[in-house]
């Protein structure tokens, strides 16, 4: 069995995380069981366009205007803005005047795409070496740096929300190998990221998924061996699902089965 390590580095990777209703909630069945579903093989189907995003981490008004013209504001659903470890936060949860002004400028650029409620925000780390406050360095081993990092992300999120914007994700570091100023190791990333639940397991920061086959992608024995892992958090985390389950209609008491299968119930 191949073991793959999934690390909850940020919410902008390949797995979309969202708080969900627990699977243990009671389903409300339909009393009518002989429903018929009609569909046409020649119908054009439903249009599902790509949801595009633009980046203000490099605050260029020209780039934003150009992106809106080429993509169309109606097709842009997310914009990236930055939290900036330029001023040390310590225990504060309110941005300094400089950081607040920088954030306002990025939100001004986002407004070319749409108003709050029309486009979501994804936060990333803007930490150029010439203005980076080294007191943020090595949060994995420095408790004060870790507290300041978390407060900086929190304060930036609150400031965005206070202005009516919806923040959907936050990437603790700009790049995992961004090490020249001492803030980019894997351990630092994990120290900043919050604990989450993987398919109900947790809270934890790592989760192992076993898939069949050898090493590599789409090699013999591994083709189409992908799986989906739900990453959740909050008070309504789904329970761990382990074992065999039978789906039964509460009205007819009939169980869902595969046509031709042998019933071992």
């Amino acid at each position: 069995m191949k073991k793959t390590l999934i690390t909850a580095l940020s919410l902008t990777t390949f797995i979309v995380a969202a708080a969900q209703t627990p699977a243990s909630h009671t389903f409300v069945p339909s009393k009518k069981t002989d429903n018929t579903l009609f569909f046409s093989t020649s119908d054009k189907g439903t249009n599902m366009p790509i949801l595009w995003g633009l980046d203000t981490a490099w605050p260029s008004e020209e780039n934003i205007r150009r992106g809106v013209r080429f993509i169309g504001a109606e097709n842009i659903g997310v914009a990236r803005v930055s939290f900036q470890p330029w001023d040390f936060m310590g225990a504060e949860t309110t941005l300094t005047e400089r950081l607040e002004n920088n954030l306002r400028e990025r939100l001004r650029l986002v407004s070319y795409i749409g108003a709050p409620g029309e486009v979501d925000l994804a936060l990333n780390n803007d930490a150029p070496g010439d203005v980076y406050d080294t007191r943020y360095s090595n949060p994995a081993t420095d408790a004060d740096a870790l507290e300041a990092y978390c407060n900086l992300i929190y304060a930036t999120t609150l400031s965005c929300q206070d202005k009516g914007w919806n923040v959907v994700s936050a990437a603790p570091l700009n790049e995992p190998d961004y090490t020249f100023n001492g803030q980019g190791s894997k351990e630092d990333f994990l120290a900043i990221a919050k604990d989450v639940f993987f398919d109900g397991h947790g809270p934890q920061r790592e989760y192992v998924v076993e898939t069949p086959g050898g090493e590599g992608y789409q090699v013999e024995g591994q083709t189409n061996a992908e799986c989906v892992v739900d990453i959740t958090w909050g008070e309504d985390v789904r329970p761990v699902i382990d074992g065999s389950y039978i789906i039964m209609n509460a009205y007819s008491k009939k169980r869902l089965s595969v046509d031709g299968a042998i019933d071992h119930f």
Side-chain angles (χ1 to χ4, degrees):
M1 302 289 285
K2 179 183 177 182
K3 293 190 175 182
T4 303
L5 178 65
I6 296 178
T7 304
L9 300 183
S10 73
L11 302 182
T12 57
T13 53
F14 299 102
I15 305 175
V16 178
Q20 299 177 351
T21 301
S24 60
H25 280 197
T26 303
F27 292 101
V28 179
S30 172
K31 292 185 177 181
K32 185 178 179 181
T33 60
D34 56 346
N35 296 315
T36 302
L37 176 64
F38 295 95
F39 65 93
S40 172
T41 58
S42 60
D43 189 81
K44 67 178 182 179
T46 303
N47 185 28
M48 301 291 287
I50 296 174
L51 181 64
W52 297 94
L54 291 178
D55 189 6
T56 70
W58 175 19
S60 168
E61 184 170 325
E62 293 78 9
N63 284 348
I64 294 297
R65 287 181 176 272
R66 186 182 299 112
V68 171
R69 286 198 302 268
F70 278 94
I71 302 173
E74 69 279 4
N75 298 316
I76 303 173
V78 64
R80 191 167 77 159
V81 300
S82 301
F83 60 87
Q84 300 168 320
W86 302 6
D87 298 333
F88 193 69
M89 294 293 293
E92 294 294 324
T93 56
T94 302
L95 294 177
T96 65
E97 181 178 0
R98 174 169 65 162
L99 300 186
E100 180 65 34
N101 289 338
N102 290 343
L103 177 61
R104 287 183 181 275
E105 172 60 15
R106 283 163 169 77
L107 295 178
R108 182 186 71 83
L109 298 178
V110 176
S111 67
Y112 285 114
I113 305 171
E118 297 175 341
V119 57
D120 293 328
L121 301 181
L123 303 184
N124 86 307
N125 182 18
D126 180 10
D130 56 338
V131 293
Y132 176 76
D133 192 315
T134 57
R135 288 176 290 179
Y136 283 105
S137 298
N138 306 310
T141 56
D142 187 332
D144 292 335
L146 175 59
E147 179 186 28
Y149 239 117
C150 294
N151 289 338
L152 174 61
I153 297 173
Y154 180 64
T156 306
T157 301
L158 286 181
S159 183
C160 293
Q161 293 173 337
D162 288 343
K163 298 174 181 60
W165 298 93
N166 181 37
V167 178
V168 296
S169 68
L173 302 183
N174 189 47
E175 299 175 3
D177 57 353
Y178 203 52
T179 57
F180 75 95
N181 51 20
Q183 56 93 26
S185 70
K186 178 182 177 181
E187 290 72 22
D188 294 334
F189 213 140
L190 290 174
I192 299 167
K194 67 182 181 287
D195 293 344
V196 292
F197 291 81
F198 300 83
D199 280 347
H201 296 274
Q204 59 197 50
R205 301 186 183 186
E206 296 181 346
Y207 184 65
V208 176
V209 177
E210 296 185 356
T211 55
E215 300 294 330
Y217 179 70
Q218 292 291 340
V219 297
E220 183 179 358
Q222 178 104 18
T223 56
N224 299 319
E226 295 85 357
C227 67
V228 175
V229 176
D230 289 329
I231 297 181
T232 53
W233 65 93
E235 299 179 353
D236 57 347
V237 174
R238 52 160 278 188
V240 176
I241 298 176
D242 186 18
S244 300
Y245 294 82
I246 296 174
I247 300 176
M248 178 181 291
N249 185 290
Y251 178 74
S252 68
K253 306 303 181 184
K254 292 183 177 180
R255 290 172 280 114
L256 185 66
S257 64
V258 178
D259 188 29
I262 299 175
D263 192 348
H264 293 288
F265 181 69

